[in-house]
Amino acid sequence: MSQSVKDPFQTLQAALDGDVAYTCGVQPIKAEDLCVYYKLKTGPGHEKNARSINLDVEVSEEELEQLAAACDPAPFGLDDKDVLDEKVRKAGKIDVENFVARFDVSAAGIVDAITPQILSGEKSNSVLRAEMYKLNVYGPGCFFKPHQDTPRAQNMIGSLVIFFPTAHEGGELVLTHGEDKFTFDSAAELVNHKSGPAVAYIAFFSDVKHEVLPVRSGHRVTLTYNLFVDHAESGALTLPHVVPTPVEREFESGLVSLLDDRTFLPKGGFLGFGLAYKYPMPTLDECQLPPMLHLLKGRDARIRTAATRLGLPVHAKIVYDAGSWGDEDITVLMDHPVDADEHSEDMDEEEIAQITGEGVKIREELRRKQAGPDSGAETVHEAAHSSREETDAHSDSDSDSGAKTVHWVTPANEMMSIHTPSGSYFGNNGGVDYIYGNVALFVEVPAVGDGVRAKYL
């Protein structure tokens, strides 16, 4: 193994480390912005149909109990249905059409505060938009077990929670992404803020699992916003002139080193990247994935911007495990989801070809498989490099088999399956139009001497 091959992979991987899936803080606001008007439940005994409350540190327990009484039980999503089960979630909610908050998340400066982190790595003409969704009240004993927020649209990137300074203990928000865990104690953050009215906030990518720990006393009152990425222009991806960050420069240097190596993918192929985050996609097979290049999060966006700056095409694909046929494991890259319910587990090669349609068949899974828990490899790079000669030996037959050679830089996530549905707890309501899916990025590497690669040799 030549040193020139091993080092670039390590450089690429190192440039993708240290990603953070959230941003949080405390924001000073005007005292009048803590006022909320809300509808009361209709029925006998209600003389008025609306009431206001100032959600500051001085608000009385009686007023908070009246607010809680105006709430409906908060459901959660499970298998595309709204479910009420206090063993999973115990909380109250008021839908956005039944309350008005004077608080304006943009005027308060919070959208500007969270944008650099939430759109980290995003260098296209992107704008972060916050859309108010719910008011939630967690009283004593209320909680919510680990869940993901319901994907509402393909351009939904995250969630923003605003915490009013009502006195309470407990109710910490715990985020879990891979092996990383972060606990945000909004009550403690607000108690420590001594310089006038303020709210606490946390924004995080919506596919990140999170839970609300039990409230021990008082009432935890929040506003929840869905975060969307809007673009000023549609069409082909373009990158304005932006000075790359040092991390992006490091990533670019790793790519250039590979392009400069004549022994690496001499006939061309792909660098594959299993992504750090999952992305909303329609449940119907009408979805096409190219727009997702505009919606990448954190380090995932860093891959795209660095490769695009070098002139290398980038493709977002769904990686499907279509099972085995004969002695071959069949893996296909798709531009759209496949309806799992329409296909059985016992498919022959002709049926698989029909299902995958215009999908791209890939032959090389050696990197992902040999870097598994039973491989004995210390890192994914060692597993990849040990398999490289075998992979490149087969590259001459790519044109005959129709398969494409892929070198995985970061291991592919759990592949989607043509016949395996998925399910977990989701946020306030179930969603039937979108699900979270694993997508991979593929950076197209030209053959030696072709295209942009010619200038690096």
Side-chain angles (χ1 to χ4, degrees):
M1 189 74 47
S2 68
Q3 188 71 12
S4 62
V5 174
K6 183 175 182 180
D7 287 347
F9 279 101
Q10 292 178 333
T11 299
L12 292 175
Q13 182 63 48
L16 297 177
D17 291 340
D19 196 45
V20 178
Y22 64 88
T23 182
C24 58
V26 174
Q27 183 73 14
I29 62 171
K30 299 176 182 178
E32 56 266 30
D33 290 339
L34 296 173
C35 181
V36 172
Y37 299 86
Y38 63 96
K39 289 183 180 180
L40 298 175
K41 293 181 179 179
T42 59
H46 291 292
E47 298 177 359
K48 297 188 298 182
N49 63 2
R51 182 173 284 151
S52 66
I53 183 171
N54 290 314
L55 293 166
D56 55 28
V57 293
E58 304 296 334
V59 64
S60 69
E61 189 69 17
E62 179 182 1
E63 290 177 289
L64 289 169
E65 289 176 355
Q66 290 172 345
L67 177 64
C71 293
D72 293 317
F76 58 92
L78 180 63
D79 297 331
D80 298 333
K81 298 178 182 178
D82 293 347
V83 178
L84 287 171
D85 184 350
E86 290 193 350
K87 294 180 181 178
V88 175
R89 185 183 197 188
K90 183 179 180 182
K93 59 98 175 179
I94 301 180
D95 294 327
V96 69
E97 64 268 21
N98 292 322
F99 74 92
V100 176
R102 285 184 55 90
F103 177 79
D104 185 315
V105 71
S106 295
I110 293 179
V111 172
D112 289 340
I114 66 176
T115 293
Q117 178 61 39
I118 297 300
L119 295 186
S120 173
E122 177 59 68
K123 296 297 190 293
S124 60
N125 298 325
S126 303
V127 177
L128 192 64
R129 173 170 55 88
E131 185 177 288
M132 189 183 293
Y133 181 56
K134 299 280 185 183
L135 183 148
N136 288 115
V137 179
Y138 284 74
C142 289
F143 65 95
F144 195 176
K145 287 188 175 181
H147 61 284
Q148 294 171 300
D149 283 336
T150 308
R152 298 292 171 186
Q154 196 165 351
N155 66 330
M156 180 173 168
I157 192 172
S159 299
L160 168 65
V161 183
I162 303 296
F163 302 83
F164 287 105
T166 55
H168 65 279
E169 293 182 349
E172 298 91 342
L173 184 67
V174 181
L175 307 181
T176 303
H177 183 239
E179 297 181 356
D180 298 328
K181 181 173 286 190
F182 172 73
T183 299
F184 184 62
D185 188 345
S186 58
E189 294 288 337
L190 288 166
V191 166
N192 292 332
H193 182 82
K194 305 296 185 181
S195 56
V199 294
Y201 67 87
I202 185 168
F204 51 91
F205 297 130
S206 53
D207 63 302
V208 173
K209 285 195 174 182
H210 51 287
E211 66 176 309
V212 179
L213 299 183
V215 174
R216 297 188 296 274
S217 65
H219 288 78
R220 174 188 186 269
V221 184
T222 63
L223 293 177
T224 300
Y225 296 76
N226 294 325
L227 297 175
F228 300 91
V229 179
D230 293 334
H231 298 275
E233 300 177 0
S234 58
L237 178 68
T238 59
L239 297 178
H241 179 70
V242 177
V243 178
T245 65
V247 173
E248 289 172 348
R249 283 297 191 198
E250 181 184 6
F251 190 86
E252 287 183 26
S253 71
L255 290 176
V256 170
S257 295
L258 288 174
L259 295 176
D260 193 41
D261 182 356
R262 289 180 176 274
T263 67
F264 179 72
L265 292 176
K267 296 183 179 297
F270 295 95
L271 287 170
F273 296 84
L275 300 185
Y277 302 98
K278 295 185 178 183
Y279 294 87
M281 59 183 66
T283 54
L284 301 176
D285 61 4
E286 299 173 355
C287 164
Q288 295 295 315
L289 292 183
M292 294 186 69
L293 291 176
H294 295 280
L295 305 172
L296 298 174
K297 312 168 188 175
R299 80 172 203 180
D300 298 348
R302 196 180 305 153
I303 298 168
R304 187 259 295 160
T305 53
T308 302
R309 188 176 287 109
L310 293 177
L312 298 173
V314 183
H315 310 277
K317 301 285 185 181
I318 306 174
V319 184
Y320 275 101
D321 179 3
S324 300
W325 193 80
D327 296 330
E328 184 179 12
D329 292 332
I330 300 177
T331 303
V332 180
L333 310 183
M334 298 288 291
D335 285 328
H336 59 79
V338 172
D339 188 347
D341 295 333
E342 293 185 2
H343 309 294
S344 66
E345 297 189 16
D346 299 320
M347 295 179 291
D348 59 27
E349 189 175 35
E350 182 178 351
E351 289 175 311
I352 291 172
Q354 182 179 3
I355 290 168
T356 57
E358 297 180 356
V360 177
K361 182 178 175 183
I362 61 173
R363 171 187 36 69
E364 195 269 326
E365 291 187 69
L366 295 173
R367 180 182 301 274
R368 179 178 56 80
K369 288 182 176 179
Q370 292 191 13
D374 299 327
S375 68
E378 293 183 8
T379 67
V380 65
H381 312 292
E382 292 180 11
H385 298 142
S386 66
S387 66
R388 181 179 171 220
E389 291 184 2
E390 181 178 349
T391 300
D392 291 341
H394 289 291
S395 63
D396 291 336
S397 64
D398 282 357
S399 58
D400 298 330
S401 68
K404 299 294 184 180
T405 300
V406 175
H407 274 280
W408 292 99
V409 178
T410 55
N413 298 320
E414 179 182 356
M415 290 187 294
M416 297 182 71
S417 172
I418 288 176
H419 35 61
T420 303
S422 61
S424 60
Y425 297 144
F426 288 99
N428 288 296
N429 297 95
V432 296
D433 296 329
Y434 294 89
I435 60 171
Y436 288 118
N438 284 321
V439 181
L441 283 188
F442 295 87
V443 175
E444 191 170 335
V445 178
V448 171
D450 289 348
V452 298
R453 194 169 183 180
K455 68 180 182 181
Y456 294 110
L457 295 172

